[in-house]
Amino acid sequence: MNLHQLRFVREAVRQNYNLTDAAKALFTSQPGVSKAIIELEEELGVDIFTRHGKRIRGLTEPGRLVLSSVELIMQEIDSLKRIGKEYAAQDSGSFTIATTHTQARYTLPKVVQAFMVKFPKVRLSLLQGNPQQIAEMVQRDQADLCIATESIAGVTGLVTLPCYQWEHVVVVPPDHPLLRNKQPTLEEIAAFPIITYDGAFAGRSKIDHAFSLRGLKLDVLLEAIDADVIKTYVELGMGIGIIAGMAFDAERDKNLRAIPVGHLFGMNVSRVAVKQGAYLRSYIYTFIELLAPTLNRKLIEQAMSGEKENYEL
């Protein structure tokens, strides 16, 4: 048994059981991958994959158990490599953050700026996607951590911790009738065409749920992942916008006004997530503390070790 065989098994699954694609991803030959997997199966005495002819189609029952062990072994191997790299150069290396557009655009700039002052030699990368996509990036070791709203909580294999709370705001032109009421009702909001986030982003599920509970129709004129796009169409007079409060800046958005609506849609919690059991370099702990000062290294390590504490805000 060797590490190449384990890598081949993991990559075959990741490439939807296409050995040609798995071989390309690992820069080797398809016959070599197939031969190595067969030899591993013979050594273990079980079939890892189901087959149709020479093609693999899926995992057998013992194959699923084998894959779980392979993932743990490869994670430990990656951790060993990272430990070596960190102690060779503790203030340098690479750091990949997966996050949503809202977090990248409105929350992270000051945090990233402060981080780069502390660690100028670190190569920082930002990957963007919806909450499901960024969670998968961490699961697949394509990113060191991800940042999003509640939707990443409870994702298998991730440890998630709360960073900060925020509420939605309704954005309208300066002369809009909704400004007459500091706490508009859902019925008053429902009277206008709404421009808001795509269903996977920025607490949109809470907006939908609030309207559904009251039996009101949510007349969504336009959906977007970018609050700047939402605000642009509100400025054109096409409807009212519902965005994350962090995305409104009174100085920058002089042609709009914001009405807090946490009383209607509740408070949201942005979270940071890392892979369960992953080795985090020291500067990653520092980044998390810059993002959320309440999350110190001791608390993060306790959560990663599986201690069942209440880490809610």
Side-chain angles (χ1 to χ4, degrees), residues 188-240:
E188 289 172 327
I189 291 173
F192 300 93
I194 292 172
I195 305 168
T196 191
Y197 295 107
D198 174 81
F201 291 85
R204 169 62 189 276
S205 61
K206 286 193 172 183
I207 297 172
D208 293 345
H209 184 61
F211 276 86
S212 177
L213 282 178
R214 297 292 292 271
L216 296 171
K217 183 178 184 299
L218 182 61
D219 180 15
V220 178
L221 178 72
L222 176 68
E223 296 179 319
I225 66 172
D226 183 343
D228 287 339
V229 171
I230 295 171
K231 289 183 287 187
T232 296
Y233 284 94
V234 173
E235 287 180 333
L236 292 173
M238 295 181 64
I240 64 173

Side-chain angles (χ1 to χ4, degrees), residues 11 27 34-35 39 50 54 60 67 105 108 118 129-130 159 187 222 233 238 247 253 264 282-283:
E11 197 60 38
F27 305 101
S34 181
K35 183 173 182 290
E39 288 176 348
T50 59
K54 293 184 178 181
T60 62
L67 178 64
R105 171 70 176 82
L108 292 185
K118 288 179 174 288
N130 64 41
V159 175
E187 287 78 7
L222 176 68
Y233 284 94
M238 295 181 64
D253 302 316
L264 298 178
S282 58
Y283 54 74

Side-chain angles (χ1 to χ4, degrees), residues 21 27 49 51 62 130 152 156 161 178 183 192 212 222 224 227 239 251 257:
D21 289 346
F27 305 101
F49 296 103
R51 290 174 170 81
N130 64 41
I152 62 172
T156 302
L161 291 166
L178 278 180
Q183 287 196 328
F192 300 93
S212 177
L222 176 68
E251 286 296 315
R257 301 292 183 268

Side-chain angles (χ1 to χ4, degrees), residues 7 22 47 52 76 110 203 226 311:
R7 287 194 181 95
D47 288 335
H52 182 75
E76 290 300 321
K110 290 183 179 179
D226 183 343
Y311 299 114

Side-chain angles (χ1 to χ4, degrees), residues 62-75:
R64 279 189 269 274
L65 298 175
V66 170
L67 178 64
S68 295
S69 294
V70 167
E71 293 283 8
L72 290 173
I73 292 168
M74 298 311 300
Q75 184 171 310

Side-chain angles (χ1 to χ4, degrees), residues 9 14 72 76 108 163 224 234 241 256 259 267 285 302-303 311:
V9 168
R14 289 182 173 181
L72 290 173
E76 290 300 321
L108 292 185
C163 296
V234 173
L256 296 172
I259 307 169
M267 299 302 294
Y285 286 104
Q302 286 176 344
Y311 299 114

